[in-house]
Amino acid sequence: MTELLCYSDLSELKAKVLACTATDDGLWAVTLDKTIFHPQGGGQPSDAGTLNGEPLIKAIHTENGIVHLVASAIEGEVLLKLDARVRLLHSRLHSAGHLIGYVGDLKGWHAYKGNHFPGQGKVSFRPDVETLANLSLPGAEALQNEVNEYVREALPFNETWEGQKRSVTWGDLPAYACGGTHVKNTAEIGTILISKIKCKKGEISVSYHLENEKS
């Protein structure tokens, strides 16, 4: 089993290759004893970086644990190097999604999933019957202003663990179970821009991006 160290502040790590197997699409699936790369999941894309200079195409969860997909076979001891700029972008987007979720939950919308990929930011909500019956959607700018209040407050990040279950929040906001990477305080997110709010088939979706959405 791969030891997951993506929640640390490590940008480099030496690891040992446990297995390296060819895939059907011409790549190599590498299993390591430990990793600093956050695998794709929970609406967050895979980290980027290199293994002994070989670009990481994607880290993913499989039934056999975390696998690193690369273009060439790798064996022995490897040096992992994280692309910190990509990590920060993913962390900002994912954290922004949480803040949108918090604001929506205050309105009784009930966030249940998010897409935090660059250019695809969206949080989905399932309001209860009573909330849906009396629903009045705010304008994008109004919701944007509410969300960015938390950004301006520079709330500090907090995480708690109960066994393998991790919960995250900022300041005194309600905690959510989450396995993603996040900013150390909400000010690091930057300005959140809401591009669309809609309700369709009983589900509310909020599309968003960041003012400086680049790695």
Side-chain angles (χ1 to χ4, degrees):
M1 184 66 71
T2 303
E3 182 182 4
L4 186 59
L5 299 173
C6 64
Y7 305 127
S8 70
D9 292 326
L10 294 171
S11 59
E12 294 188 11
L13 179 72
K14 288 185 178 179
K16 183 183 296 184
V17 175
L18 302 179
C20 183
T21 307
T23 67
D24 293 338
D25 52 0
L27 300 177
W28 293 87
V30 179
T31 303
L32 304 171
D33 65 338
K34 52 186 176 289
T35 186
I36 53 175
F37 297 123
H38 184 278
Q40 181 171 310
Q44 180 172 327
S46 166
D47 272 335
T50 59
L51 294 78
N52 276 359
E54 183 69 31
L56 172 66
I57 295 171
K58 186 189 293 186
I60 58 173
H61 287 284
T62 73
E63 59 183 13
N64 297 317
I66 298 169
V67 166
H68 305 73
L69 298 176
V70 293
S72 301
I74 297 175
E75 59 183 21
E77 186 175 73
V78 294
L79 177 63
L80 313 181
K81 289 189 176 183
L82 177 72
D83 188 324
R85 294 177 301 169
V86 171
R87 163 68 70 81
L88 179 58
L89 173 61
H90 295 172
S91 299
R92 291 170 61 216
L93 284 163
H94 199 153
S95 302
H98 275 268
L99 296 189
I100 293 169
Y102 294 139
V103 172
D105 284 349
L106 289 174
K107 301 177 185 299
W109 295 357
H110 310 302
Y112 78 98
K113 71 175 180 179
N115 181 345
H116 313 299
F117 280 59
Q120 303 175 33
K122 184 169 76 171
V123 181
S124 299
F125 302 84
R126 285 178 176 157
D128 54 38
V129 174
E130 183 177 353
T131 300
L132 193 59
N134 299 285
L135 185 64
S136 177
L137 291 177
E141 185 176 354
L143 183 63
Q144 181 176 294
N145 289 339
E146 289 186 68
V147 172
N148 282 306
E149 278 298 317
Y150 294 116
V151 174
R152 286 188 285 272
E153 290 177 11
L155 301 174
F157 177 70
N158 296 307
E159 67 177 349
T160 56
W161 291 85
E162 292 184 14
Q164 296 298 310
K165 183 179 179 180
R166 176 179 180 252
S167 296
V168 305
T169 190
W170 290 264
D172 295 325
L173 297 177
Y176 283 72
C178 184
T181 62
H182 299 288
V183 296
K184 297 300 184 183
N185 73 74
T186 55
E188 293 179 33
I189 297 171
T191 302
I192 301 168
L193 302 174
I194 305 296
S195 54
K196 185 188 300 183
I197 307 171
K198 67 178 183 179
C199 183
K200 184 177 182 181
K201 296 181 179 179
E203 180 173 301
I204 299 169
S205 64
V206 176
S207 298
Y208 74 95
H209 60 282
L210 303 178
E211 189 172 58
N212 296 306
E213 190 169 309
K214 59 182 180 179
S215 59

